[in-house]
Amino acid sequence: MPYDDFLTEGLAAAVNRQDRLVWRGRHLHTRFLLENGPTAHLISIDAGQVRAVRRGPFVMPHWQFALRAGAEDWAQFWSPDPKPGYHDLMALIRYKRLRAEGDLHPFMSHLLYFKDVLACPRQTGSQP
Amino acid sequence: MNSPARQSQVSTETFFEAITGRYLHLTLRGRPHRVYVEEAGAGVPLLCLHTAGADTRQYRALMNDPEILARHRVVAFDLPWHGKSSPPAGWRDEAYALTTQDYAEAVLAVADALALDRPIVMGCSIGGRMVLHLALKHAERFGAAIGLQSGAHVEPYYDLEWLDRPDVHGGEVCAGIVSGLVGPGSPDEHRWETLWHYMQSGPGVFKGDLHFYTADGDIRQRVGDIDTTRCPLWLLTGEFDYSCTPQDTEYLAQRIPGAQWQIMQGMGHFPMSEDPERFLAYLRPVLASATKACNRSATGAVS
C-alpha cells in the first residue's frame, strides 16, 4: 500500500489498537500537518487517539505544527531497516531532512509518542 | 546488520554485583561537594566518564565483566548534579551549566582522591569530548585515553530550551531527544534502561551539560595538538550516532596523528549501556592495547 494511502486508511487503526501508546497520549489534543513530498495530510489527535486523517490539497488549512520532509526521505524512514540518519525523527531533523514548524509544544512534549505514531507505516511493511 | 531489537538473557539468580559505591567529599571550584563513586576490580585503573544527563549506571556491564575486573580497577563517578551526586549547596538559586574547567577539575580531583596512578580514562559523548581535553592539557596524568562517541564540537540541531521547561516533562523530553541515538538493533532491555537514566535526570541538568557539549567545550582548533606519544588515544564510535557522528570521529582521526579509531557497526551513542555485549567485543582489544601502551609509557618506552 502506498504510504499516503496508509496514512489516510491505516494510521488511525494502527495507532488506536495500541492501548499503551494511546494512554501515553492521553493529554494530547492537536492537529498537525504531515507533508510527504508533494502530498499533505492533516492528522487530528484527540486524547492520544488518531481521530481523522485528511489528505490534501487543502485551502487555508489550520494546524498547530507541521512536519515536512521529502517523499524519498519518508520512504527511507519508513523502510523496515532504515539506514543510519533515516532511522529516527530527530535524526531526520539533525540532517535537515525533516523540518518541524509551528507551535512545537505538542510535538516536543510528546516526542516519544510521536516517534511511535510515525513509525507505524514502517511496521506494516507498506511499500510506496 | 541492523537487526530487529534483541532481548538479552535475564538472570533469575540472587546475588550481589562486584560493584561497590561510596560517597566522596571533596572541594570543586572552591565549594564542598558530595560525589558518588563506584568501583570494581583490581589492576590497571580505568576511569570511566558518563554521558550528559546520565550517571555511572551506564557502565554497569563493564563493571561486572570478570575478564575486565581481573585486569583493571574500574572506577566511575557521577558528576555533581547527576545520579547520586548532589548539587552544591545553594543550587536552587543558580543555573547549572557545565564548563570545560568544571569538568576537568572534577575528573582530576576524583583521580587524586582515589590515588589513581596514570589511569586509562574512557568517556562517552561529553565524556568522549572531555577525554580529548584531558589528552591535550593533562597528558601526563593519564596512561591512555579512550573516547567513545568523541567529537570536537557539535552544533545544536534542536532548540535546547525544550529540555528545561515547567510545561514539558523533563524526563520524557530528555529520553525523547536521545531515544533515536540508541542503535535500532540494541536489546530492548538495555535500550529502555539507558533511556530510564535520562528520564531520572534533574531539571536542567542535561541542558546544562550541553553547554559544555555545544559551546564551551569546542576543541576543533586544538585537537591537532594532542600528542598521542604522551597519551595514546583510541576512538570508538557507533554507526547510528547522529550526535557524535562517525564523520565527527573521522575528522578527529585525520587531525590527531597516531589516534586509532573504529566505527562500531549497528551501535548508537550509548555503546556501554545500550548493547554491552556487542560493545565489549569492540572494547576488549582496545583495552588490551591501551594497557600495553600504559605499561610502555610508565617505563619510559613512550616518551
Side-chain angles (χ1 to χ4, degrees), chain B residues 63-135:
Chain B
M63 299 182 85
N64 274 303
D65 185 84
E67 186 184 320
I68 290 175
L69 299 189
R71 295 177 171 83
H72 295 278
R73 178 186 178 192
V74 186
V75 176
F77 69 99
D78 295 343
L79 276 170
W81 300 75
H82 297 69
K84 294 168 83 169
S85 292
S86 303
W91 66 270
R92 183 179 178 277
D93 297 319
E94 60 189 85
Y96 170 69
L98 183 68
T99 67
T100 306
Q101 192 177 351
D102 295 335
Y103 198 169
E105 182 179 331
V107 175
L108 297 175
V110 170
D112 284 344
L114 274 66
L116 302 181
D117 180 22
R118 300 184 71 249
I120 300 169
V121 62
M122 178 167 75
C124 186
S125 186
I126 61 167
R129 176 82 58 75
M130 178 44 56
V131 155
L132 303 177
H133 283 276
L134 295 171

Side-chain angles (χ1 to χ4, degrees), chain B residues 30-261:
Chain B
R31 302 168 73 183
H33 279 76
R34 184 174 189 255
V35 171
Y36 180 67
V37 183
E38 289 185 342
E39 68 172 279
V44 176
L46 172 62
L47 180 58
C48 301
L49 313 178
H50 59 73
T51 67
D55 57 61
T56 55
R57 286 175 291 177
Q58 292 181 319
Y59 288 100
R60 67 194 186 282
L62 193 75
M63 299 182 85
N64 274 303
D65 185 84
E67 186 184 320
I68 290 175
L69 299 189
R71 295 177 171 83
H72 295 278
R73 178 186 178 192
V74 186
V75 176
F77 69 99
D78 295 343
L79 276 170
W81 300 75
H82 297 69
K84 294 168 83 169
S85 292
S86 303
W91 66 270
R92 183 179 178 277
D93 297 319
E94 60 189 85
Y96 170 69
L98 183 68
T99 67
T100 306
Q101 192 177 351
D102 295 335
Y103 198 169
E105 182 179 331
V107 175
L108 297 175
V110 170
D112 284 344
L114 274 66
L116 302 181
D117 180 22
R118 300 184 71 249
I120 300 169
V121 62
M122 178 167 75
C124 186
S125 186
I126 61 167
R129 176 82 58 75
M130 178 44 56
V131 155
L132 303 177
H133 283 276
L134 295 171
L136 176 67
K137 301 288 286 185
H138 303 282
E140 74 286 355
R141 299 289 305 271
F142 298 97
I146 302 171
L148 310 175
Q149 314 310 130
S150 282
H153 176 66
V154 65
E155 292 290 340
Y157 51 93
Y158 57 91
D159 183 351
L160 303 183
E161 292 300 317
W162 287 108
L163 299 175
D164 187 21
R165 288 172 52 136
D167 60 345
V168 177
H169 189 290
E172 293 274 352
V173 73
C174 289
I177 288 289
V178 303
S179 65
L181 292 171
V182 179
S186 293
D188 257 7
E189 174 196 354
H190 298 313
R191 164 190 304 279
W192 286 100
E193 182 165 343
T194 298
L195 297 183
W196 183 252
H197 302 158
Y198 274 80
M199 290 176 168
Q200 292 186 301
S201 182
V205 172
F206 184 36
K207 178 171 176 278
D209 285 342
L210 296 184
H211 174 68
F212 167 73
Y213 190 55
T214 63
D216 184 73
D218 184 347
I219 196 172
R220 280 175 294 182
Q221 302 304 316
R222 294 179 289 158
V223 287
D225 295 333
I226 292 175
D227 183 353
T228 57
T229 66
R230 297 179 64 213
C231 183
L233 175 66
W234 284 261
L235 304 169
L236 293 172
T237 294
E239 177 189 24
F240 279 88
D241 192 351
Y242 51 84
S243 181
C244 285
T245 67
Q247 292 73 30
D248 292 332
T249 297
E250 186 176 359
Y251 172 98
L252 289 177
Q254 289 170 346
R255 284 159 181 79
I256 307 173
Q260 300 189 54
W261 65 294

